[in-house]
Amino acid sequence: MFERIMIATDGSKHSERAAGVGLEIARLSGGSVTVVYVADTGRLSHLPEDMALASIRELLIKEGEEATNYIGEMAERAGVPCTGEVIEGNPSEELIRRAESGMDLVVMGSVGRTGLDKFLLGSVAEKVVRNSRVPVLTVPGEKV
């Protein structure tokens, strides 16, 4: 049933926990995972173009590669086929777009890295849950 599972990551401990759940579902169902990190470069688009801006973009891409590689290593240990993707754009919009291009399930943490952004903009997870046509499993963070 869940052959193609997309795991959304932002590099946080919460998304690593969600990845563990997604990998277990993939292992049990004989499926594969695609790990997706969205570099939120849209926030940079209104700033003047300069070298510092290019460095920030490169940093975001590098962070995404590290996050997807980490979950790729988790997948390898679990024996689950895995690919990783770093996409640029608005996180919720890009996650929905990617999920609707052939995924059976989206797994993501219900809490990301940013507290203030969630308060001001609404959480990425909430936007994905509300707007995705693909089933979304949100995994809560650990209780402290």
Side-chain angles (χ1 to χ4, degrees):
M1 179 173 181
F2 297 122
E3 294 177 11
R4 295 172 311 257
I5 299 170
M6 183 177 96
I7 297 174
T9 184
D10 62 3
S12 69
K13 290 292 181 195
H14 300 296
S15 64
E16 290 173 17
R17 178 178 158 95
V21 172
L23 289 169
E24 183 64 8
I25 293 169
R27 189 183 68 74
L28 293 171
S29 66
S32 63
V33 299
T34 300
V35 182
V36 178
Y37 177 99
V38 181
D40 193 358
T41 56
R43 293 184 182 188
L44 305 176
S45 64
H46 69 282
L47 299 173
E49 192 72 32
D50 67 0
M51 291 305 288
L53 191 59
S55 296
I56 294 170
R57 181 186 170 277
E58 289 172 16
L59 195 65
L60 289 172
I61 299 299
K62 183 176 184 235
E63 183 179 76
E65 290 169 351
E66 289 172 358
T68 57
N69 288 340
Y70 182 80
I71 294 174
E73 292 167 5
M74 290 173 63
E76 188 174 335
R77 288 191 300 272
V80 174
C82 177
T83 58
E85 299 177 13
V86 177
I87 302 172
E88 294 183 51
N90 176 288
S92 57
E93 291 173 8
E94 293 302 323
L95 290 172
I96 291 167
R97 184 189 60 73
R98 183 61 185 95
E100 292 177 353
S101 69
M103 295 295 153
D104 299 317
L105 176 69
V106 176
V107 179
M108 62 191 308
S110 61
V111 179
R113 289 190 311 184
T114 57
L116 184 58
D117 283 349
K118 179 181 174 186
F119 177 72
L120 296 174
L121 304 172
S123 76
V124 171
E126 181 181 355
K127 290 176 184 176
V128 173
V129 167
R130 288 183 182 269
N131 297 298
S132 177
R133 289 181 287 214
V134 176
V136 179
L137 172 64
T138 58
V139 178
E142 291 187 48
K143 293 185 179 183
V144 204

